[in-house]
Amino acid sequence: MAESSRVLIVGGGASGLARALNCARLGMQVRVVEKRVSRPSAQKATWVAQGVWHQLADFGITERVISEAIPMRRFVFHDNARLVADIRVLNVNGEPPAHLYPQAMLEQAMEDALASYGVKVEYGRAFIRAVENADGIETSISNGDETEIIEADWLVAADGSKSDVRSFLNVPFLGHDYPEDWSVAEIETTRVVLRNTTATVLASRRGRSLSFTTSSRCHSRHSQCEGCGLEAHS
C-alpha cells in the first residue's frame, strides 16, 4: 500500500484496529466503521502472545497495560475432582510466552492509541455493498436511515467469522467451527481455588469448562450441557 492510499476497514475489533494502527502510522488515510453501536463491555479472556506485545509496544500500548496482564505460568487439568496434570510454563527468551488480558480492555487501549493519529472508530455504521471501479472501490455504508458512499483504494474485511464483506464477495470462510455449543460467563468472586493458576480445565460427564483468571474476574468458558454448573468454576 502506498502512503497516500485510502483505506476503509470494516470491523472495529482487535484485527481491524491492528490494521488501522499500522496504516495510520504509515501516513495512510484510514477510516474504521463498526456496525455495533459501542464497544462491548464483555471482557472475553484473551491470550496475547509475546510477539503481539512486542508489536503493540510500537504504539505505546504495551508499556501502558502490561502491568495489568497476567503472565502465562501454570495450566491445571482436572477430571472431575481428580488432578490430571499441573503444567508450569517456562519463559521464552526471558519473557512469558503470553499474557492473559481481557479483550475489551485491550481493544480499548488500541482504540485510544488509534485516536492519537486522529482516527476514530465510527460506530453504528454497517457495510451494505462494494463496487470496484477504475478509481478504486466504492463502498456503501449505512448509518441509520442514511447511506454513505465511501471511496477507497483498499477495503479491509475485519468483521469476524460471519463477515458481511466476505459474504457479499462470496469469499469462503477457511476456518472451522467447534461441534459443541459453548457459552461464555464472567464470574466475579472472592474465592481462590488455585493460586497462581492461569488456566484451569475441568472435565466431567456433565460437561467441560475452560476457566481463565484475571486480577479482578474469573472468565469461564464451558459447554452448554445439562447440569453443567458454574459454582465449581468460581
Side-chain angles (χ1 to χ4, degrees), residues 100-169:
L100 184 64
Y101 194 69
Q103 180 175 335
M105 294 171 63
L106 179 62
E107 290 180 353
Q108 187 59 61
M110 296 173 72
E111 185 174 347
D112 292 343
L114 184 62
S116 69
Y117 290 95
V119 181
K120 293 185 178 181
V121 178
E122 302 174 40
Y123 289 100
R125 303 173 70 83
F127 171 87
I128 301 176
R129 66 180 65 88
V131 178
E132 188 173 7
N133 56 38
D135 297 323
I137 302 169
E138 287 188 354
T139 305
S140 299
I141 300 293
S142 70
N143 181 16
D145 297 331
E146 300 179 355
T147 299
E148 179 184 2
I149 305 299
I150 300 176
E151 297 183 356
D153 300 299
W154 297 89
L155 172 63
V156 179
D159 50 342
S161 61
K162 298 180 181 179
S163 167
D164 293 330
V165 179
R166 193 176 61 250
S167 177
F168 177 82
L169 297 175

Side-chain angles (χ1 to χ4, degrees), residues 186-194 211-220 230-234:
E186 294 185 17
I187 305 169
E188 188 168 359
T189 178
T190 57
R191 294 175 55 193
V192 179
V193 178
L194 292 171
S211 300
F212 303 109
T213 303
T214 69
S215 58
S216 60
R217 286 187 175 89
C218 174
H219 300 269
S220 176
L230 291 177
E231 182 178 356
H233 314 162
S234 63

Side-chain angles (χ1 to χ4, degrees), residues 35-57:
K35 66 180 179 181
R36 296 172 295 185
V37 296
S38 62
R39 186 161 302 286
S41 59
Q43 296 301 319
K44 297 182 182 179
T46 301
W47 290 110
V48 183
Q50 181 186 116
V52 175
W53 287 117
H54 291 168
Q55 294 178 52
L56 293 175

